[in-house]
Amino acid sequence: MGQQQLRGIAVVDVGFTNTKIALFSPQGELLAEKKAPSLHLPAPPYKHIDPEPMVALCRSALPELDQMLPIDAVVPTAHGAAMACLDAQGNLALPVMDYTSEPPREIVAEYEKIMPSFEEALCPLLPMAITHGLQLYWQQRMWPEGFAKVRTLLPWIQYVGFRLSGVPVTEISSMACQTHLLDIRAQGPSRMARKLGWDVLFPPMAKAWEMIGTLKDEFRGSGFRGEARVLGGVHDSTANFMRYVCAGLDRFTLVSTGTWSISFDPSTSVDVLDPARDTNTNTDVLGRNVCCSRFFGGMEFAAVSGGAAAEAANLSCVQELVRRGTYAVPSFTMTSGPVPESLGKGYVKGPSVESAEERASLAALYCAQMVSEQLDAITSKDEIIVDGPFSQNPVLLAVLAALRPAQRVKASALRDGTTAGAAALAVIEDGRLPSIAIMMTEVTPAAIPGLGDYQAAWRKMAYEKR
């Protein structure tokens, strides 16, 4: 759909923490936003996501936003770590698993024997229930009666589109984000998915920008003015990456931050990927494999800062932490990121931090170091662009720039590029990407005496066996 035919674009962005609906003009201007908390429920049968608050927000917000500007396109986007299991009537046969669920050890051990090789899936088995294949295997083994009712398997992203339109589809960026369900190079079902019979439960593939249906009447209210075309949808971090591709950038590394810090480098060869360092590929909406590395950025920052606001950090405090030798050593969550076998082993070494200023400064220093490690893991050599919450942290940015003196570091002016990237999909015509502008500022490296020696000592502690 070209800009001339479009009036309003609504992006339904279902994140782990919040669900928001953003209204954009065809030129990419954000006009309004509605938000509600995402709802996570405890076991039984396992920690799970309640989709109804998302549905309720769509029901109330879409008609309201349509009165501001007629909504002609609705783009679903969401985090890529959940699957919806639908029965023959299109209802959930089992609750949508929360990826922070902890599968039993025996289930993980069984799954490891059948899971795809790294060469096939181009992603490692991730901790907790982040990997889609592990989620489905656990459900099939432990709740066989419920799983026997499953007739359709949908990525969480396309489940959002299904609830809006009633049409089930899959999409390449959603099926290829650390799922173990695809043979990434062949872009078909993995051997495991075929062996377990899951492949026949995947609905047809749609392009992220293709219309799959229109909004159900329940989301239109009375007097809805737009055409309400629901598009195929896109993995949230990939939507963010596509925004920079649409800006005409070629050689760059994007550090997309939020709950996760995910670095994308389109120039990196898959040959450098290392499952021990949580590297993988994501597949963009055009079907191209892009090398990535990850760590639990937002949660790691919160763990080290002890809840101190990011704004409390300052460079003088960072300089003092470096001078006196206070280190945050990974990892503080149940993921290792680029530092192998570090999950849950994080600790602070050296003089303690007490004040909010010290805790926020240590968190900024630590996360800059971890971002630098994830950039090394995908051999990043070109311009670095940081967006999301970390792009709004001048201390973290200045330290990162100091750690990467051979590369320019830039910060996106947008705190959240996911919705803007998803909105750009609505103006793709026949697979031709639109041209959009992105506002960025170049980061000046911090002057921190002794940072090189401090970093060398930190890396030695980070990578030692514990």
Side-chain angles (χ1 to χ4, degrees):
M1 285 181 268
Q3 291 187 15
Q4 299 306 313
Q5 294 82 32
L6 275 175
R7 289 167 292 179
I9 304 165
V11 175
V12 181
D13 180 4
V14 186
F16 185 84
T17 305
N18 292 299
T19 296
K20 56 190 169 188
I21 302 177
L23 178 66
F24 288 87
S25 72
Q27 293 73 39
E29 180 187 3
L30 177 62
L31 303 175
E33 188 175 271
K34 304 290 182 180
K35 185 181 292 189
S38 298
L39 182 58
H40 300 261
L41 299 174
Y46 38 73
K47 288 196 286 186
H48 56 282
I49 303 168
D50 183 352
E52 297 313 314
M54 174 268 292
V55 173
L57 179 65
C58 291
R59 197 178 287 126
S60 63
L62 288 171
E64 183 179 343
L65 294 173
D66 180 77
Q67 295 308 302
M68 296 180 61
L69 188 67
I71 295 173
D72 288 331
V74 181
V75 187
T77 186
H79 70 76
M83 292 291 289
C85 302
L86 306 185
D87 64 18
Q89 289 72 45
N91 300 315
L92 289 173
L94 290 162
V96 178
M97 189 177 292
D98 179 328
Y99 69 69
T100 63
S101 300
E102 290 284 355
R105 290 183 180 179
E106 60 270 21
I107 292 294
V108 176
E110 290 175 15
Y111 181 77
E112 288 175 332
K113 294 176 183 177
I114 64 167
M115 69 183 190
S117 67
F118 185 78
E119 290 70 28
E120 181 183 4
L122 289 178
C123 67
L125 175 61
L126 298 173
M128 302 179 290
I130 296 172
T131 305
H132 301 64
L134 177 57
Q135 291 181 18
L136 295 176
Y137 182 76
W138 184 15
Q139 290 171 317
Q140 189 171 37
R141 282 277 286 107
M142 300 297 288
W143 297 275
E145 291 184 5
F147 200 87
K149 298 176 183 177
V150 176
R151 296 295 178 269
T152 305
L153 290 174
L154 282 180
W156 179 230
I157 299 148
Q158 277 68 52
Y159 177 70
V160 176
F162 172 75
R163 288 300 299 265
L164 294 173
S165 68
V167 180
V169 299
T170 54
E171 182 275 332
I172 190 63
S173 74
S174 310
M175 285 293 287
C177 58
Q178 70 270 340
T179 68
H180 279 182
L181 301 178
L182 285 192
D183 179 328
I184 295 300
R185 289 188 173 96
Q187 294 191 356
S190 65
R191 286 191 292 268
M192 178 190 70
R194 296 196 303 271
K195 181 178 181 180
L196 295 177
W198 299 341
D199 60 319
V200 299
L201 303 176
F202 301 148
M205 218 35 118
K207 302 292 188 184
W209 61 86
E210 286 180 344
M211 173 184 168
I212 63 169
T214 56
L215 278 180
K216 295 179 180 178
D217 289 344
E218 66 178 294
F219 301 108
R220 295 171 181 256
S222 59
F224 200 93
R225 302 182 299 162
E227 296 182 11
R229 296 175 285 216
V230 179
L231 308 189
V234 62
H235 173 225
D236 55 5
S237 295
T238 304
N240 198 8
F241 171 74
M242 293 307 301
R243 192 166 69 95
Y244 293 89
V245 175
C246 290
L249 299 182
D250 181 21
R251 300 193 64 87
F252 69 103
T253 305
L254 171 65
V255 184
S256 175
T257 68
T259 301
W260 291 90
S261 173
I262 304 179
S263 293
F264 294 75
D265 196 309
S267 301
T268 297
S269 166
V270 296
D271 297 332
V272 310
L273 297 179
D274 180 356
R277 302 194 73 186
D278 199 2
T279 56
N280 68 301
T281 59
N282 277 310
T283 304
D284 73 12
V285 301
L286 300 177
R288 302 174 300 185
N289 294 331
V290 182
C291 291
C292 299
S293 57
R294 293 171 296 213
F295 82 104
F296 231 158
M299 290 194 177
E300 291 275 312
F301 188 97
V304 176
S305 69
E311 293 77 13
N314 65 71
L315 283 173
S316 295
C317 192
V318 170
Q319 290 169 345
E320 177 59 19
L321 291 169
V322 170
R323 185 198 66 77
R324 75 189 195 194
T326 296
Y327 302 85
V329 183
S331 288
F332 293 84
T333 61
M334 294 309 293
T335 61
S336 292
V339 181
E341 300 179 17
S342 65
L343 70 167
K345 298 178 181 178
Y347 64 95
V348 174
K349 181 175 181 179
S352 62
V353 291
E354 303 295 341
S355 68
E357 176 189 49
E358 289 177 322
R359 287 183 282 120
S361 297
L362 182 62
L365 172 58
Y366 167 73
C367 285
Q369 293 173 297
M370 288 294 284
V371 169
S372 185
E373 292 302 305
Q374 68 172 166
L375 293 172
D376 282 346
I378 51 172
T379 61
S380 170
K381 298 180 179 67
D382 300 306
E383 179 177 274
I384 299 163
I385 302 167
V386 182
D387 79 1
F390 283 2
S391 74
Q392 311 297 305
N393 189 323
V395 175
L396 188 157
L397 292 170
V399 174
L400 177 64
L403 292 170
R404 314 288 300 186
Q407 295 171 272
R408 291 194 301 172
V409 176
K410 293 183 176 180
S412 168
L414 274 185
R415 179 181 173 86
D416 183 5
T418 295
T419 51
L425 297 180
V427 292
I428 291 178
E429 291 187 275
D430 300 323
R432 296 192 303 274
L433 299 178
S435 179
I436 63 176
I438 291 179
M439 297 291 293
M440 294 182 287
T441 57
E442 188 158 352
V443 177
T444 301
I448 304 174
L451 181 62
D453 291 339
Y454 176 93
Q455 177 70 350
W458 179 86
R459 294 192 84 248
K460 183 177 180 180
M461 288 183 282
Y463 287 93
E464 69 184 1
K465 295 290 184 182
R466 282 174 267 164

